Amino acid sequence: MFVNFLSIFESRVSDIFGAARAPFSFKKLAKQAAHEMEDQTLVVNGVNTAPALYTVLVANDDDPLLAPYYPQLSREVCELVKAQAEKKSYTFVGEPLVRFMIDPSLKGGRFSVFAENVDAPTLGRLYEEERAYQKGLSASQPAPMPQRPAAPAPAPVATPALAQAPNVPAMSAQTDAPGDPFAVDPFGPGAAPVPTAAPAALAPAPVPAPIPVPQTVSRDQLGVLGGAAATGAMAGIGAESVSANLAGVRTPQPPAIPQAQLVDVVTGETFNIAQTPCTVGRERAAADVVLRDPNVSRRHAQLTFTGSAWTIEDLGSTNGTLVNSRRITRCPLRSGDVLTFGLSTFEFRG
């Protein structure tokens, strides 16, 4: 029975791509989705409940080709999943959701599928997030460029110098490009030289003003000058003056390097943060800290280091960002604060 589903699925996917070629085998994708369903099906209140969330990871190189077809491909994979569940007498907590995401670690032509169990409210929120994402994806598709009318050929411009020059061949009416003034070289072989006026007497070049000798010597200059050379460079400058000048020289301090950690309070997993800004989310192509939590948005929150302190900002996530159990939009962070993204909780150490 599943073989029949695969044949229908393959045929429909082929129709979606048309003359274009899919970057990988969707038949293998369907088999992996079915395998994930079997592994993640749970018995809930005596009923075999199949996972309702399916995430397909694709390579960054394949995303431009697949992006226009994501809505159709999601529907086809969803229909296949539902057919397989019906065959097995499985149920779902709601309409299954299939979504595509980028995994930069994948090479072109590779993919991965994983299924997850989520409750009905979470599934509904994820549906809304996916609809908004696909709507934005459609809006970002570039519109075809309008055809511009051909520019009219420029009118020929008479050149006085060429008009007075003897034996200069006239411009040919037939050129490689209409209106191209360089189609015929008036200075090519056989062309007589164009008479020019005698060159004017050259004015004497201005003498550059002498460069003033600096009365201060930087530490870098002292590092270059050594021994007798340093003594010669310092001739005529008193030791007191050098000391006074060096006292005012400031060595530039390197910018502070942000260093912080997010420590999972349940598993102890640690994410080191050494860049700013740092994005936390579920989308592997858009997040620096990637959380495998269906309640986490693609781009959930952002941590920023100002040079002396950290701040956190929610990026309009579906489930919000909590700091010490309080929902925030933007706030400063202190070491020991407890951050919650979706169902994932971390201790901030910075």
Side-chain angles (χ1 to χ4, degrees):
M1 182 67 70
F2 185 65
V3 177
N4 295 336
F5 294 153
L6 280 179
S7 299
I8 297 173
F9 175 74
E10 268 193 303
S11 176
R12 290 180 175 176
V13 169
S14 298
D15 292 341
I16 291 174
F17 283 96
R21 183 178 179 182
F24 48 75
S25 170
F26 275 82
K27 184 176 182 180
K28 292 182 179 179
L29 186 151
K31 290 182 177 180
Q32 188 170 338
H35 180 73
E36 281 286 310
M37 175 192 290
E38 293 294 330
D39 284 350
Q40 300 299 325
T41 295
L42 304 175
V43 178
V44 179
N45 297 327
V47 178
N48 289 325
T49 305
L53 178 62
Y54 295 82
T55 303
V56 182
L57 302 178
V58 299
N60 192 48
D61 293 340
D62 296 334
D63 178 67
L65 172 63
L66 294 170
Y69 309 113
Y70 281 154
Q72 295 169 281
L73 293 173
S74 297
R75 287 194 296 268
E76 293 301 333
V77 177
C78 181
E79 290 299 322
L80 180 76
V81 166
K82 291 194 294 185
Q84 177 69 358
E86 183 178 357
K87 172 190 171 185
K88 297 283 188 176
S89 299
Y90 294 161
T91 62
F92 298 99
V93 297
E95 181 73 8
L97 172 60
V98 178
R99 57 186 185 175
F100 287 78
M101 291 187 177
I102 300 173
D103 184 352
S105 65
L106 290 176
K107 296 182 179 179
R110 301 286 184 177
F111 68 91
S112 182
V113 183
F114 62 89
E116 295 171 274
N117 292 279
V118 295
D119 55 30
T122 299
L123 184 64
R125 289 193 297 268
L126 293 176
Y127 251 112
E128 293 301 322
E129 180 183 322
E130 191 65 17
R131 287 193 190 99
Y133 170 75
Q134 291 189 0
K135 184 178 179 180
L137 191 66
S138 301
S140 65
Q141 294 297 325
M145 293 293 293
Q147 295 293 329
R148 294 186 178 182
V157 179
T159 306
L162 294 180
Q164 299 175 4
N167 301 326
V168 175
M171 291 287 184
S172 174
Q174 297 180 355
T175 59
D176 294 335
D180 185 359
F182 301 104
V184 176
D185 185 2
F187 303 98
V194 178
T196 57
L202 297 178
V207 179
I211 301 176
V213 178
Q215 297 302 312
T216 60
V217 180
S218 66
R219 287 185 176 137
D220 293 336
Q221 290 172 320
L222 286 180
V224 174
L225 301 174
T231 304
M234 299 298 294
I237 304 176
E240 296 81 1
S241 175
V242 174
S243 300
N245 290 328
L246 288 181
V249 177
R250 294 184 178 180
T251 303
Q253 297 296 326
I257 300 176
Q259 290 186 351
Q261 291 179 327
L262 291 178
V263 182
D264 192 312
V265 298
V266 177
T267 65
E269 183 179 8
T270 301
F271 295 93
N272 294 316
I273 304 174
Q275 64 182 45
T276 183
C278 175
T279 303
V280 179
R282 186 181 174 86
E283 174 64 79
R284 286 167 169 76
D288 303 301
V289 175
V290 181
L291 305 181
R292 186 172 174 175
D293 181 346
N295 297 277
V296 173
S297 298
R298 293 172 181 267
R299 297 179 73 252
H300 198 101
Q302 182 171 277
L303 287 82
T304 304
F305 185 63
T306 62
S308 58
W310 285 89
T311 61
I312 186 170
E313 178 181 3
D314 183 79
L315 298 179
S317 63
T318 303
N319 295 315
T321 301
L322 281 68
V323 177
N324 299 326
S325 301
R326 296 183 62 182
R327 188 161 183 163
I328 59 94
T329 300
R330 180 185 176 92
C331 76
L333 286 178
R334 295 177 299 178
S335 186
D337 283 344
V338 177
L339 313 182
T340 303
F341 314 103
L343 298 179
S344 303
T345 303
F346 298 86
E347 179 188 347
F348 175 78
R349 297 177 184 176

